[in-house]
Amino acid sequence: MMLRRWIATGMVAVATLGVLNAVPAAADRPYDPAAQTLRTLGLRHGLYIGTAVDTAALNDPADPRYREILRAEFSSATAENVMKWEALEPTRGSYDWGPADQFVAAAQRNGQRIRGHVLVWHNQLPGWLTTGVEDGSIGTTELREILRRHVTTVVKRYRGKIWQWDVVNEAVSDPWDTPSTLHYKGFWARHLGPGYIADAFRWARAADPTALLFYNDYNIEAFGSGDPADDKTQFVYDMAKGLLAQGVPIDGVGSQGHLGTQYGNFDTLQVADALRRFARLGLATAFTEVDVRSRMTDGVQAGDPEEINPRLQASAANFHVLLQACLAEPRCLSFTVWGFTDRHSWVPGWFDDPPEGLATIYDEDYQPKRAYQVMKADLIYAGPPYVLPRVAPKPRR
Ligand code: XIL
């Protein structure tokens, strides 16, 4: 076997010299894993490695590296903003499909599976909708009908092209919200009650029988106390179980994975345990928006390596924990980062008091960071019996 491989790679001379136990030098190895991309390495496990796509960067002629890395390294793509309601229907009744269509076409050209993001969320809603509800000109019955029409219209438009849809996003509060017990939060729960969640899944299923339908949220990487009053993961787990018991067509739960190096976060076994518990409900899982930000202290901003290095290493360690846990769970179908370069990351614009950054796997000059190498090593060195091929569910009816 070994000999045949050597012959095939032109190493007969070494073999005939009798050095049968010699290990070929790295440069002569027929397969150099470090030269592979995340995309290729992920697919060894059937795992799709994705990224959020910033369409401004995608279209910037002065930024070719963005497109090269996007195409080479990722087998899945999520629109960072252009499939959100405010982008799709800025004026009531008139959909602007241009940017979303362009995103879908680009992903298809790149041979990438698409995560549709997002159908029902309380943020980035069009002004006409929120204002209309606030001033009373849109009542409850009409609001529900508007939501039904939106979900149906968008899902139908991209029917057959979307692998996973984030049907409902961030419907659950955080333990530090008021009241401090977990509850259904935001615009939709306030105006329609929590029943909108089951409705949205049913409407999405009716519009596309083939997409996998996901509930998506943050701070659900691991279980906490197990009390749904203060453990968000438990609350979401109970919710998903309840939806399944009602026959709602939910196929998966997406864990966003927005972490920060200033927090304690989790270890691989805790995260793998959470993924396994969702899997035992018969659900797929995915990491959908992973980034690991850090405080941009004065020292970091001044370039002090004593402040920068521990942060880059802690960031890498957190990418590692989430990816390893995903690899360990055959129903974890994809691992998506929320932007791949610090050049185009939502973090500095969003977390600015105090300033945060350094959240992605490539720096601002497209140099791969420690986090990228750690992800790559995780994909290379994972294998049976603990890492098995992915098991994708059939879309639930
Ligand atoms: C963020 C985008 O990255 C930003 O560009 C935008 O200004 C705000 O939204 N959870 C989600 C994503 O589900 O849609 C959010 O994306 C990040 C948090």
Side-chain angles (χ1 to χ4, degrees), residues 62-84:
D63 200 352
R65 274 305 275 156
Y66 186 87
R67 289 181 289 282
E68 286 162 20
I69 295 175
L70 171 64
R71 186 174 55 238
E73 297 283 343
F74 299 98
S75 49
S76 173
T78 308
E80 185 169 357
N81 286 302
V82 296
M83 286 186 154
K84 291 172 181 172

Side-chain angles (χ1 to χ4, degrees), residues 78-81 84 115-125 165-173 184-189 196-197 200-201 214-218 220 232 236 239 253-258 288-289 338 346:
T78 308
E80 185 169 357
N81 286 302
K84 291 172 181 172
R115 295 198 80 261
H117 179 81
V118 50
L119 298 172
V120 191
W121 190 28
H122 55 268
N123 281 343
Q124 292 177 277
L125 290 170
W165 262 118
D166 286 335
V167 178
V168 176
N169 196 32
E170 302 181 355
V172 176
S173 70
Y184 289 101
K185 70 175 182 192
F187 181 86
W188 297 105
Y196 80 89
I197 298 174
F201 278 95
F214 274 68
Y215 175 77
N216 194 50
D217 214 329
Y218 60 89
I220 58 166
K232 187 169 178 180
V236 169
M239 177 189 82
V253 169
S255 180
Q256 293 183 0
H258 292 295
T288 56
E289 308 185 10
W338 204 243
W346 74 306

Side-chain angles (χ1 to χ4, degrees), residues 141-158:
T141 312
E142 189 180 1
L143 181 62
R144 189 165 180 277
E145 176 55 18
I146 289 172
L147 182 62
R148 188 194 65 76
R149 217 175 319 139
H150 177 71
V151 170
T152 306
T153 305
V154 177
V155 175
K156 272 203 175 141
R157 170 126 193 142
Y158 298 111

Side-chain angles (χ1 to χ4, degrees), residues 237-309:
Y237 176 92
D238 292 347
M239 177 189 82
K241 197 172 170 182
L243 291 170
L244 289 167
Q246 293 169 57
V248 173
I250 175 175
D251 300 306
V253 169
S255 180
Q256 293 183 0
H258 292 295
L259 300 179
T261 61
Q262 65 272 45
Y263 306 119
N265 297 327
F266 310 104
D267 60 61
T268 301
L269 299 179
Q270 291 174 299
V271 179
D273 170 65
L275 296 178
R276 189 165 49 241
R277 289 209 231 169
F278 282 105
R280 287 210 188 116
L281 291 179
L283 293 170
T285 54
F287 282 105
T288 56
E289 308 185 10
V290 182
D291 56 12
V292 189
R293 59 191 189 269
S294 284
R295 287 279 309 277
M296 300 295 281
T297 59
D298 293 345
V300 169
Q301 295 193 46
D304 178 356
E306 284 195 32
E307 296 223 359
I308 293 176
N309 288 330

